[in-house]
């Protein structure tokens, strides 16, 4: 696009420049066509400034906001829930490992998705906890820490990285992260992005 | 432009504990918030997410708002920032997504525009706007759809007027090239 077209159409030219350009415009069909296209584009945009919509959507904005606000207030009393769920996921995978210290990555890669889904869907926390061998219990926290830290580092900013590095507990950490970010970390973990 | 005196009274009422005042502020600005987010992101569902984010920010931060700018400008600033962040996050998610179909194409099918012809025109323009950088898109939208002056856009974006004019020229140039290719 010719810059003079832009400046002329936007009223950016001095009176002298404008007078000169208008002479050029009169003599050039190419310039006239380009100016015409520019004005057509602006006209198309103008037509789309006010668009009829289904107003029911707008009627629902405040109720949805109030609902989200309530959920957020309730959630703030259970700050560790999202991370507890992530830790349970790690524990489930420990449960289905054979007791011979096989490498986690190798083992998890070979587990069919259907098996993992079955365990995730069918095992409650109590049943799971009672089945975990005692000698594995101590490993869970450190591996869960490492996995969470890795994901948090990838997903969130330096402020939260610092919190994790300084071993602030999960309750404090979740207060820094909003629910959407916590959901994101959890979803990434159970999609085996870490594993 | 909205009545500043009315905004001032509503903000004071809300910070004084009147929740209905916040609802009135939302009713006043919800169309503008939605449409700015919609034009920035190019689809209804993304815009809906941003609307709710913006309202949450407003709810938390209105107590700190001291009318150093108009409420209108402040709200647009939040909406613009959230929209640009959303666009950037979407790009990263799409780059690393393992899903078969990008999320945005699934989300594109839901809309609140009832007239099909209007929707097609808007989609065509949205597709062109998606191809220009978010900052250029922002100036284009604020100037043409919101009819803001460069001074007003500068207050929203924090950019210099010279920079904005340059961004706007680049935006128009790219869109004109795309229009020419379509013909």
């Amino acid at each position: 696009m010719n810059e003079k077209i832009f400046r002329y159409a936007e009223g950016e030219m001095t009176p002298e420049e404008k007078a000169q350009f208008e002479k050029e415009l009169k003599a050039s069909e190419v310039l006239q066509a380009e100016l015409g296209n520019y004005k057509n584009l602006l006209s198309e945009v103008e037509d789309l400034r006010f668009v009829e919509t289904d107003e029911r959507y707008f009627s629902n904005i405040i109720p949805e906001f109030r609902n989200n606000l309530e959920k957020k207030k309730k959630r703030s009393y259970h700050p560790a829930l999202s991370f507890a769920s992530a830790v349970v996921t790690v524990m489930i995978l420990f449960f289905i490992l054979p007791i011979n210290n096989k490498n986690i990555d190798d083992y998890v890669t070979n587990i069919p998705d259907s098996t993992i889904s079955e365990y995730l869907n069918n095992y409650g926390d109590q049943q799971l906890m009672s089945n975990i061998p005692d000698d594995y219990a101590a490993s869970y926290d450190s591996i869960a820490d490492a996995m969470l830290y890795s994901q948090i580092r990838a997903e969130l900013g330096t402020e939260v990285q610092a919190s994790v590095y300084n071993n602030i507990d999960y309750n404090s950490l979740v207060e820094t992260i909003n629910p959407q970010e916590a959901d994101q970390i959890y979803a990434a973990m159970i999609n085996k992005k870490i594993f | 432009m909205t009545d500043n005196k009315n905004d001032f009274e509503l903000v004071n009422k809300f910070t004084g504990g009147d929740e209905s005042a916040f609802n009135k502020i939302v009713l006043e600005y919800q169309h503008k918030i939605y449409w700015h987010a919609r034009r920035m992101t190019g689809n209804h569902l993304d815009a809906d997410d941003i609307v709710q984010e913006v309202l949450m920010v407003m709810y938390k931060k209105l107590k700190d708002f001291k009318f150093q700018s108009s409420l209108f400008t402040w709200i647009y600033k939040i909406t613009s920032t959230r929209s640009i962040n959303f666009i950037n996050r979407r790009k990263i998610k799409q780059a690393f997504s393992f899903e078969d179909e990008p999320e945005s194409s699934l989300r594109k099918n839901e809309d609140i525009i009832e007239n099909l012809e209007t929707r097609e025109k808007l989609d065509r323009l949205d597709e062109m706007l998606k191809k220009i950088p978010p900052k250029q898109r922002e100036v284009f939208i604020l100037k043409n759809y919101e009819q803001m002056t460069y001074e007003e856009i500068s207050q929203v974006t924090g950019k210099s007027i010279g920079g904005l004019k340059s961004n706007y020229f680049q935006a128009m140039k790219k869109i004109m090239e795309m229009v020419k290719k379509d013909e």
Side-chain angles (χ1 to χ4, degrees):
Chain A
M1 180 180 67
N2 188 317
E3 194 186 339
K4 284 184 182 177
I5 297 278
F6 175 77
R7 291 183 63 233
Y8 176 74
E10 295 296 322
E12 301 275 327
M13 285 183 165
T14 62
E16 295 77 24
E17 285 173 328
K18 188 179 169 185
Q20 175 60 33
F21 182 71
E22 280 173 349
K23 282 183 195 167
E24 292 174 31
L25 198 58
K26 208 171 176 180
S28 167
E29 283 182 7
V30 171
L31 281 178
Q32 286 170 30
E34 203 172 337
L35 182 63
N37 288 339
Y38 191 90
K39 287 182 176 177
N40 285 343
L41 175 61
L42 292 183
S43 171
E44 198 176 310
V45 172
E46 175 68 31
D47 286 345
L48 293 172
R49 280 189 70 211
F50 302 105
V51 171
E52 275 187 28
T53 53
D54 183 351
E55 283 298 311
R56 284 176 296 180
Y57 166 71
F58 290 99
S59 304
N60 199 43
I61 284 178
I62 292 175
E64 189 183 338
F65 167 71
R66 291 288 170 189
N67 192 36
N68 290 339
L69 195 60
E70 276 310 302
K71 281 184 195 170
K72 204 175 162 69
K73 284 177 184 172
K74 283 178 188 170
R75 217 167 180 167
S76 68
Y77 293 112
H78 301 283
L81 268 182
S82 297
F83 286 97
S85 301
V87 171
V88 164
T89 306
V90 173
M91 289 178 177
I92 287 168
L93 287 170
F94 269 97
F95 170 75
I96 57 181
L97 277 174
I99 309 174
N100 60 3
N101 292 323
K102 191 170 183 177
N103 181 274
I104 293 173
D105 285 341
D106 288 344
Y107 195 89
V108 170
T109 303
N110 293 322
I111 299 172
D113 286 343
S114 55
T115 305
I116 292 179
S117 296
E118 185 189 19
Y119 278 99
L120 286 170
N121 290 332
N122 296 331
Y123 280 83
D125 293 358
Q126 291 304 316
Q127 189 175 9
L128 175 67
M129 293 304 291
S130 66
N131 281 324
I132 293 171
D134 289 344
D135 54 347
Y136 275 88
S139 304
Y140 297 155
D141 280 347
S142 61
I143 291 179
D145 277 346
M147 287 179 171
L148 284 168
Y149 177 50
S150 170
Q151 189 65 12
I152 287 164
R153 190 172 51 195
E155 295 277 349
L156 302 174
T158 50
E159 188 183 78
V160 179
Q161 283 181 44
S163 299
V164 174
Y165 185 76
N166 292 326
N167 290 318
I168 292 174
D169 68 21
Y170 289 136
N171 287 348
S172 307
L173 182 58
V174 174
E175 281 166 8
T176 312
I177 297 172
N178 67 43
Q180 286 78 24
E181 284 165 333
D183 284 343
Q184 216 173 313
I185 293 171
Y186 174 50
M189 287 181 76
I190 64 172
N191 285 338
K192 296 194 286 182
K193 280 192 183 177
I194 287 179
F195 304 125
Chain B
M1 194 82 76
T2 313
D3 180 3
N4 282 339
K5 189 182 171 197
N6 187 45
D7 287 345
F8 185 78
E9 283 169 4
L10 286 173
V11 170
N12 282 339
K13 279 184 181 172
F14 171 61
T15 52
D18 182 355
E19 288 286 321
S20 71
F22 183 80
N23 290 351
K24 286 177 187 162
I25 293 171
V26 173
L27 284 171
E28 186 69 42
Y29 288 103
Q30 61 184 6
H31 285 80
K32 289 196 178 297
I33 295 168
Y34 171 79
W35 276 109
H36 186 52
R38 167 70 187 261
R39 287 166 186 142
M40 286 292 291
T41 59
N43 79 76
H44 165 69
L45 288 179
D46 290 346
D48 181 44
D49 286 345
I50 292 170
V51 165
Q52 292 298 324
E53 282 183 28
V54 169
L55 296 188
M56 200 60 77
V57 173
M58 283 170 61
Y59 189 83
K60 285 181 190 168
K61 301 286 185 187
L62 258 176
K63 63 182 184 327
D64 301 323
F65 179 63
K66 304 293 179 207
F67 278 94
Q68 285 166 335
S69 67
S70 68
L71 186 62
F72 173 84
T73 299
W74 185 72
I75 290 172
Y76 261 93
K77 211 182 255 189
I78 297 169
T79 310
S80 261
T81 307
R82 287 282 156 169
S83 299
I84 289 174
N85 287 348
F86 189 97
I87 290 164
N88 290 334
R89 281 204 315 268
R90 185 170 64 188
K91 271 190 215 166
I92 292 168
K93 272 188 185 176
Q94 282 174 353
F96 291 101
S97 174
F98 296 115
E99 292 168 358
D100 291 335
E101 196 171 352
E103 192 185 356
S104 61
S105 67
L106 291 170
R107 292 165 76 83
K108 207 178 161 180
N109 295 326
E110 286 205 36
D111 213 320
I112 59 170
I113 298 169
E114 292 170 318
N115 184 296
L116 193 60
E117 195 187 330
T118 306
R119 197 168 154 183
E120 282 172 357
K121 283 183 187 173
L122 200 58
D123 284 347
R124 185 174 158 256
L125 199 48
D126 283 341
E127 282 308 307
M128 288 194 273
L129 287 176
K130 274 181 194 170
K131 291 173 184 169
I132 66 176
K135 293 287 184 186
Q136 292 175 13
R137 196 185 315 174
E138 186 184 30
V139 183
F140 179 91
I141 288 167
L142 291 174
K143 191 154 189 331
N144 288 307
Y145 284 111
E146 306 300 335
Q147 305 268 289
M148 285 189 185
T149 63
Y150 282 118
E151 288 74 19
E152 287 167 336
I153 298 171
S154 176
Q155 283 188 24
V156 170
T157 62
K159 303 291 177 202
S160 69
I161 290 175
L164 291 171
K165 286 184 180 179
S166 173
N167 272 339
Y168 183 57
F169 170 67
Q170 291 300 327
M172 289 303 289
K173 190 175 167 190
K174 283 172 190 154
I175 293 172
M176 291 292 291
E177 282 166 10
M178 285 187 253
V179 167
K180 204 173 176 183
K181 268 188 194 167
D182 270 358
E183 283 168 2

